[in-house]
Amino acid sequence: MSALDDVAAAAARRDAAEAALVEAVAAARDAGADVAAIARAAGVTRQTVYRWASTVTDGTRVPVNVALDDGLAILVDLVGPNMRGQVAAGMSSTDVRVKLRRWDIAWKNVDGDALRELDDEGRSRLDLAGKVVAKMTRAIDAHADPLPATVIID
């Protein structure tokens, strides 16, 4: 790895950590925690807490496991019978990484005709799950630990 690769990797980790902090601050605010206490715990100003909380509420906070399970439930019907057990296994797992691997397996084996026949609601739910997959993949690539339980979808 070159020095520039190290810098890029560190920047990605910083971005993931900041995103996780913003999410945690917004969640604490949503839960009714005192703004001054949140600011002290996060090492930021009260103004930053207000700004981050309002930024997060501009999007839609989506629970990762719920969105992934919903997407997998749709995909299980769009893959061949030999793949259904593997895709369904993702829904029964509590490990987000397992769910993401099952999503990848399912997406690579989707029956194109079945996908085209999917109704608008199914497409919308699949689109949301796909956005969650993309955000979680970026978090994993940035070595986020722990992985966020929710993500913000704009």
Side-chain angles (χ1 to χ4, degrees):
M1 217 171 169
S2 75
L4 290 177
D5 290 337
D6 291 342
V7 170
R13 285 192 303 276
R14 181 210 54 219
D15 291 347
E18 183 173 320
L21 179 58
V22 169
E23 178 65 29
V25 164
R29 184 73 182 117
D30 287 349
D34 177 67
V35 172
I38 296 169
R40 278 191 305 277
V44 298
T45 66
R46 288 178 296 124
Q47 291 81 5
T48 299
V49 170
Y50 285 116
R51 183 170 39 87
W52 284 354
S54 69
T55 299
V56 168
T57 57
D58 289 343
T60 301
R61 183 173 295 143
V62 177
V64 171
N65 281 330
V66 172
L68 292 177
D69 284 346
D70 191 41
L72 288 169
I74 294 168
L75 289 175
V76 79
D77 292 329
L78 301 179
V79 297
N82 294 338
M83 298 301 304
R84 288 188 180 133
Q86 289 187 44
V87 176
M91 290 185 291
S92 63
S93 176
T94 58
D95 185 340
V96 170
R97 287 175 173 84
V98 169
K99 292 179 185 297
L100 292 170
R101 282 192 299 273
R102 300 307 174 164
W103 171 277
D104 190 47
I105 289 169
W107 195 249
K108 289 177 181 174
N109 290 282
V110 165
D111 177 331
D113 291 333
L115 183 59
R116 281 187 286 282
E117 293 175 12
L118 195 60
D119 64 16
D120 288 342
E121 180 186 344
R123 285 178 195 268
S124 177
R125 291 168 44 208
L126 206 52
D127 180 58
L128 177 63
K131 290 176 181 178
V132 170
V133 168
K135 289 207 175 231
M136 294 305 294
T137 300
R138 284 194 296 276
I140 289 170
D141 289 348
H143 307 289
D145 188 34
L147 290 173
T150 62
V151 294
I152 303 303
I153 303 297
D154 298 321

